[in-house]
């Protein structure tokens, strides 16, 4: 009987840990989206270089310099916002106990974002690797329709 009480307490702790990880994913997603807006400055500078080059000014930089600025800034903005959306979706999935593999993959990518992402990613992976957490995700999954039909 003491064993069952311990398992129940473990599930409660796992549920609390997943809820906290979900909240921290939302926070880090917001920070990532905000930081990903910084290259907008480079995007504007690149557009200014392109416009200045087409007007034929005396000291204007060549337009290809502007295109380099625009292309690199666009890639950085798009990558940052995409990662922020994925982190937000992972936070939502953690709260609902769905998409186990997606949450694990996003946690791996978060490990590349030092220092906050590394801490969150490592803790997320540690929690997700617990067998009791895997059971929580499996319990939230609807039964397979193909397996239910005779």
């Amino acid at each position: 009987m003491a064993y069952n009480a311990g398992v129940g307490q473990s599930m409660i702790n796992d549920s609390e840990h997943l809820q906290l990880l979900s909240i921290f994913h939302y926070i880090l997603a917001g920070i990532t989206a905000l930081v990903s807006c910084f290259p907008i400055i480079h995007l504007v500078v690149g557009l200014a270089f392109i416009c200045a080059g087409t007007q034929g000014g005396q000291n204007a930089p060549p337009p290809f310099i502007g295109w380099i600025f625009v292309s690199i800034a666009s890639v950085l903005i798009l990558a940052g916002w995409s990662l922020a959306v994925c982190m937000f979706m992972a936070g939502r999935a953690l709260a609902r106990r769905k998409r186990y593999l997606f949450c694990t993959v996003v946690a791996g990518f978060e490990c590349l974002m030092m220092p906050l992402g590394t801490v969150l990613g490592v803790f997320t992976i540690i929690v997700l690797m617990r067998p009791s957490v895997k059971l929580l995700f499996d319990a939230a999954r609807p039964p397979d329709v193909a397996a239910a039909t005779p």
Side-chain angles (χ1 to χ4, degrees):
M1 187 169 226
Y3 178 74
N4 289 340
V7 171
Q9 185 62 34
S10 172
M11 292 286 193
I12 292 172
N13 286 340
D14 290 339
S15 192
E16 289 175 359
H17 292 166
L18 288 173
Q19 194 63 33
L20 280 173
L21 286 173
S22 173
I23 292 168
F24 291 140
H25 273 80
Y26 293 144
I27 293 169
L28 189 60
I31 292 171
T32 302
L34 180 66
V35 170
S36 297
C37 292
F38 290 160
I40 290 176
I41 297 169
H42 296 88
L43 183 73
V44 171
V45 168
L47 292 173
F49 282 175
I50 292 169
C51 291
T54 58
Q55 292 177 357
Q58 181 81 11
N59 295 326
F64 78 89
I65 299 288
W67 286 110
I68 292 173
F69 270 72
V70 168
S71 60
I72 291 174
S74 298
V75 167
L76 290 175
I77 292 167
L78 183 64
W81 287 348
S82 298
L83 183 60
V85 167
C86 286
M87 285 191 291
F88 183 83
M89 289 172 51
R92 191 171 176 94
L94 285 169
R96 293 180 175 184
R97 283 115 180 107
K98 296 184 179 187
R99 299 180 183 165
Y100 178 83
L101 183 61
F102 177 75
C103 293
T104 306
V105 169
V106 170
F109 278 113
E110 287 171 347
C111 289
L112 299 174
M113 300 174 46
M114 291 187 197
L116 297 176
T118 303
V119 173
L120 182 59
V122 168
F123 283 139
T124 303
I125 291 171
I126 288 171
V127 169
L128 288 176
M129 290 299 127
R130 294 182 196 156
S132 56
V133 172
K134 288 182 183 179
L135 289 175
L136 285 175
F137 274 81
D138 288 340
R141 185 185 324 167
D144 193 13
V145 176
T149 57

